[in-house]
Amino acid sequence: MTDQHTPGPWTAQPDLFDGYFYIEAAGGTVVIADVYPWQAGDMDGAGEAAANARLIEAAPELLEACETLATLLDTDDWIATGRLAVKQARAAIAKVRGTQ
C-alpha cells in the first residue's frame, strides 16, 4: 500500500448518460472518484454535484498551494515564496469555483 495519491492534474467529466461526474487522472486512464447528483440532493447534476466534482478535481492544486504556504513559514524568502503561494492558491480557488 502506498501513502501517495494519484498525481494531478485531475479532470472532472460529466457522464452524459447517467448524470453523474467522474474525476479522472493520468490522461483518462485512472478514475479517482464518482460524484452522483442524488448524494448531494441535486437530481439534475447541475448545481451541488458539479461544485463537488470541481472541488475534488482541484485537490492536487489545493494540496500544492497548502504545501507552498507551509514552506513559506520555514523560509527566509517570504516575498518570492509568498507570491508563489498566493498564485497557486488563487488558481486552485478559481478551479473550484469554475472561473478558471
Side-chain angles (χ1 to χ4, degrees):
M1 180 177 219
T2 179
D3 62 349
Q4 296 294 317
H5 68 276
T6 303
W10 296 355
T11 306
Q13 300 290 338
D15 180 272
L16 299 178
F17 299 106
D18 294 324
Y20 70 95
F21 294 85
Y22 57 95
I23 291 74
E24 63 184 18
T29 61
V30 177
V31 174
I32 301 298
D34 294 322
V35 179
Y36 293 93
W38 57 86
Q39 290 174 323
D42 176 25
M43 292 310 294
D44 67 0
E48 191 174 348
N52 290 341
R54 287 193 310 269
L55 182 60
I56 296 167
E57 174 186 41
E61 288 90 347
L62 291 166
L63 175 61
E64 182 179 24
C66 288
E67 288 173 338
T68 302
L69 287 169
T71 300
L72 175 63
L73 299 174
D74 294 330
T75 185
D76 291 331
D77 189 3
W78 281 67
I79 293 174
T81 306
R83 286 183 179 150
L84 175 61
V86 169
K87 181 180 177 181
Q88 290 172 331
R90 286 188 175 148
I93 290 166
K95 189 172 191 176
V96 171
R97 300 279 185 229
T99 59
Q100 62 177 354

